[in-house]
Amino acid sequence: MEQMRHAWKTAAIAGAVASALACGRAWGADKKRGEEHDNLYLLGEMNKASLVMTVEQGIVPKDLGKKIVVAVDQVIRDGETPGTDAYRRRPGDYLQLEPYIVRLASPDATHMHSGCSRQDILATTRRLTEREHMLAFLDSLNLARGRVLALAEKNVGTIVPAYTNGVQAQPTTYAHYLPGFAAAFERDAERLKQAYARLNMSPLGGAALGTSSFPVN
């Protein structure tokens, strides 16, 4: 009977931690479905940023910049409007998206990507996608850690057996046991934060090989 009670307590601990992790994963999945963006959206954001930069740097004349911004905005809106070709195709490669902008603003619209290439645009798209994945995972990890700590606060006086090598070693409290998992989550989060700092650096301006002579910022 004593062994059964200890086994039940151990199973309850494992179940509680698994439940907290499952809550975190579920919340992260909902967030991902609600906020993750596809390549067309990301290309639209990069087009806006590139246009602002090239106009500010004097690479694209302001009059041309006004024409391009109207075209970029129209393509973005078409991509969100059912029935339009951009909505049906959702072009995710810049070479597929560029013709839509050129039709509206002339071939000169391509000047907004002076100093960039398909290669660094693609690399940036991938980084933006991975950044959203990482942020969603960090949110999920934070939620799981919070659930574990909240459970610990409710069980300060709950006595459970602690084991070494599968053998009961000494009594402890549930509130002492659970923060060990929270500490592991915290270490994982710190590693992800360090990786995020590197992931969050933009490849734009590297071009296809050795950058360019345009004064890109």
Side-chain angles (χ1 to χ4, degrees), residues 8-25 143-152 154-155 158 160 174 177-178 181 185:
W8 178 85
K9 287 182 178 178
T10 301
I13 292 170
V17 174
S19 176
L21 288 171
C23 288
R25 285 194 296 269
L143 181 66
R145 182 175 178 274
R147 292 290 178 86
V148 169
L149 291 175
L151 190 60
K154 294 178 181 179
N155 289 274
T158 303
V160 296
Y174 201 10
Y177 177 80
L178 288 175
F181 292 93
F185 295 156

Side-chain angles (χ1 to χ4, degrees), residues 50 52 56 67 74 92 125 131 142 145 175 211-212 214 216:
S50 293
V52 169
E56 287 182 344
K67 290 176 57 178
Q74 183 63 54
T125 303
R131 185 173 69 172
N142 285 336
R145 182 175 178 274
T211 191
S212 74
F214 286 103
V216 294

Side-chain angles (χ1 to χ4, degrees), residues 26-173:
W27 186 87
D30 289 341
K31 187 175 189 300
K32 180 179 176 182
R33 283 192 294 270
E35 296 186 13
E36 184 179 306
H37 300 107
D38 65 4
N39 282 5
L40 179 58
Y41 173 87
L42 297 176
L43 287 172
E45 294 298 291
M46 276 190 280
N47 283 340
K48 290 188 287 185
S50 293
L51 180 57
V52 169
M53 183 275 292
T54 51
V55 171
E56 287 182 344
Q57 295 296 105
I59 300 171
V60 172
K62 290 183 179 180
D63 288 344
L64 176 59
K66 291 177 182 179
K67 290 176 57 178
I68 299 174
V69 74
V70 171
V72 168
D73 180 65
Q74 183 63 54
V75 171
I76 290 173
R77 285 189 285 113
D78 287 348
E80 301 299 328
T81 304
T84 64
D85 187 59
Y87 183 88
R88 288 192 301 270
R89 296 178 183 273
R90 298 292 294 176
D93 186 299
Y94 185 71
L95 293 185
Q96 299 169 342
L97 179 65
E98 190 176 67
Y100 291 88
I101 298 173
V102 168
R103 279 201 297 267
L104 294 169
S106 83
D108 288 339
T110 59
H111 291 179
M112 70 173 164
H113 286 296
S114 299
C116 294
S117 72
R118 185 189 186 195
Q119 282 88 339
D120 56 354
I121 291 173
L122 176 60
T124 304
T125 303
R126 288 173 175 167
R127 285 198 178 213
L128 290 170
T129 299
E130 289 303 314
R131 185 173 69 172
E132 290 193 343
H133 291 169
M134 183 175 287
L135 290 173
F137 183 76
L138 276 166
D139 280 339
S140 178
L141 189 63
N142 285 336
L143 181 66
R145 182 175 178 274
R147 292 290 178 86
V148 169
L149 291 175
L151 190 60
E153 288 179 356
K154 294 178 181 179
N155 289 274
V156 174
T158 303
I159 305 300
V160 296
Y163 290 78
T164 62
N165 297 317
V167 178
Q168 297 171 20
Q170 67 183 66
T172 187
T173 65

Side-chain angles (χ1 to χ4, degrees), residues 187-208:
R187 290 193 297 271
D188 290 338
E190 184 60 34
R191 295 184 184 103
L192 288 170
K193 283 168 60 179
Q194 294 173 8
Y196 180 85
R198 293 185 285 275
L199 177 66
N200 201 40
M201 297 177 69
S202 174
L204 282 176

